Amino acid sequence: MDPSEVAKMSFEYFQHNGVTFVSMIHSIEHLEWVKDFKMDPDIPLLVSYPKSGTTWLQQIISLILSNANDTGEKFKNLYAKAPWIEYPLFKTVSRDYQLLTTHLNYHMVPNIVKSKMIKIIYVARNPKDVIVSSYHFHKYSRFLKTPKDFQDFVEQFVEGNVFYGSWFDHIRDWYSHKDELNFLFVTYEEMQKDLRSVIEKVASFLNKKLDAGTLESILDQCTFNSMKENPQTNYQDVSGMFYSDKGSFYRKGIVGDWKNHFLVSQNEWFDSIYQERMADFPVKFD
Ligand code: A3P
């Protein structure tokens, strides 16, 4: 899309079912349509709060499902192979996908997802790194409000005034329903620590057997650098959506960058909020 076209589009935020959405990429009509969408039970669903490693897992799962050799699909972009169900274009454009993706909260997904019929892979990331990644993404994206400064962004994030709303609600809601679902939970941090094991775990969840060569090929095609260079994964064909002089989608791809952004006082404040809202949450982030 041409940047001048994007500039003309409205990027107002709106609330729907208590979650913040962006008028340029979401509509209430489509969000309501999604609830009754009849998903094919053979297609898995990747769920995440934005900036948690979604694209990385889209690539991993797509490669697992195609045995790392998606010849027919070779020139198809990753976002077409694994479309987001909540974007209105999904209804009119998406065809022949092998995986579906969503950032929606549990209460907004298709009803069929709330059963054991659909395989769900949920990826989560340390919220402080999500904040940092999201802060840069808000500066880089033409369709999101540019943050005033980091302090203001952390406050907006805690209030859920950023796109897709509250991180706390997202992870708590999904996790609290996991036993009713066909659900695999993975973290960005474990992918960084031992990607091979995560790929094996995801493949086994999807009932796919990977031979040694396929596994090596997947590992090769999922590195930060190869995804950054690959035109199918680096969003270069929609570069008009972004201010290319203000960053990159593949920014750093590391664990712990929050330490370079949070002041001691901001860190203490966020820790106290985290304690208040997540003390009983069973997953501990590195
Ligand atoms: P950073 O902004 O910290 O670099 P999402 O896909 O959910 O929007 O998440 C984007 C984050 O995942 C970005 O984090 C991006 O760099 C990181 N990421 C994407 N692919 C990656 C990969 N192959 N290895 C490590 N990190 C990756």
Side-chain angles (χ1 to χ4, degrees):
M1 196 178 288
D2 189 79
S4 58
E5 275 177 54
V6 179
K8 277 186 249 151
M9 297 173 93
S10 149
F11 66 101
E12 290 304 307
Y13 289 6
F14 67 91
Q15 297 281 319
H16 189 55
N17 294 339
V19 178
T20 307
F21 292 98
V22 179
S23 54
M24 193 179 134
I25 51 174
H26 302 116
S27 75
I28 291 179
E29 187 199 355
H30 184 75
L31 290 170
E32 287 302 311
W33 175 87
V34 163
K35 291 181 182 165
D36 292 320
F37 170 55
K38 304 271 177 287
M39 265 185 77
D40 177 343
D42 292 333
I43 306 273
L45 179 67
L46 171 62
V47 182
S48 66
Y49 185 85
K51 313 318 291 175
S52 302
T54 323
T55 319
W56 199 3
L57 259 170
Q58 281 177 318
Q59 172 75 337
I60 291 168
I61 298 169
S62 297
L63 289 165
I64 290 173
L65 294 174
S66 62
N67 291 315
N69 181 27
D70 44 356
T71 40
E73 302 275 299
K74 208 161 193 142
F75 299 106
K76 203 163 166 182
N77 282 305
L78 187 56
Y79 61 77
K81 285 185 212 166
W84 275 263
I85 57 176
E86 64 267 28
Y87 295 162
L89 278 180
F90 173 67
K91 198 162 64 173
T92 49
V93 172
S94 298
R95 300 278 176 273
D96 304 327
Y97 42 78
Q98 51 192 356
L99 164 70
L100 289 172
T101 308
T102 189
H103 290 317
L104 289 174
N105 282 45
Y106 175 79
H107 62 278
M108 297 187 75
V109 290
N111 293 320
I112 188 174
V113 174
K114 300 173 185 172
S115 70
K116 291 198 187 272
M117 282 171 81
I118 305 287
K119 290 195 172 175
I120 298 165
I121 297 146
Y122 187 102
V123 58
R125 186 180 191 184
N126 181 327
K128 293 180 192 173
D129 280 337
V130 171
I131 291 176
V132 169
S133 182
S134 191
Y135 169 67
H136 288 284
F137 190 67
H138 276 69
K139 293 209 285 188
Y140 171 57
S141 300
R142 289 179 188 272
F143 54 92
L144 297 175
K145 285 184 190 162
T146 302
K148 214 161 75 191
D149 52 39
F150 186 66
Q151 171 66 31
D152 186 59
F153 187 78
V154 180
E155 288 170 19
Q156 299 296 333
F157 182 93
V158 165
E159 293 300 320
N161 292 333
V162 291
F163 89 138
Y164 286 101
S166 163
W167 177 90
F168 302 94
D169 292 349
H170 197 282
I171 191 164
R172 287 193 75 99
D173 266 10
W174 275 103
Y175 203 84
S176 69
H177 290 283
K178 73 177 174 42
D179 295 338
E180 301 146 31
L181 307 171
N182 199 347
F183 190 85
L184 180 71
F185 183 87
V186 297
T187 66
Y188 183 90
E189 290 73 25
E190 68 177 304
M191 288 160 74
Q192 286 281 5
K193 216 184 221 166
D194 187 355
L195 186 58
R196 184 181 293 267
S197 300
V198 173
I199 294 172
E200 284 170 339
K201 186 163 73 171
V202 173
S204 149
F205 180 68
L206 297 174
N207 295 327
K208 290 286 289 185
K209 279 205 166 24
L210 302 176
D211 61 37
T214 307
L215 182 56
E216 289 311 315
S217 172
I218 295 176
L219 280 163
D220 225 42
Q221 295 179 65
C222 297
T223 64
F224 182 81
N225 285 334
S226 70
M227 287 183 66
K228 186 174 184 163
E229 296 308 319
N230 181 345
Q232 273 79 58
T233 55
N234 68 10
Y235 291 104
Q236 70 175 30
D237 62 322
V238 286
S239 58
M241 304 276 285
F242 305 106
Y243 296 108
S244 49
D245 56 333
K246 292 191 183 161
S248 158
F249 185 89
Y250 292 90
R251 197 183 59 86
K252 283 197 182 170
I254 57 169
V255 170
D257 194 32
W258 64 268
K259 291 176 192 154
N260 300 316
H261 288 74
F262 279 70
L263 300 172
V264 173
S265 55
Q266 286 167 333
N267 189 36
E268 285 172 359
W269 178 73
F270 187 80
D271 281 348
S272 68
I273 303 275
Y274 192 88
Q275 271 311 309
E276 259 171 45
R277 303 190 56 177
M278 301 295 284
D280 60 340
F281 192 65
V283 178
K284 304 292 168 217
F285 291 96
D286 290 350

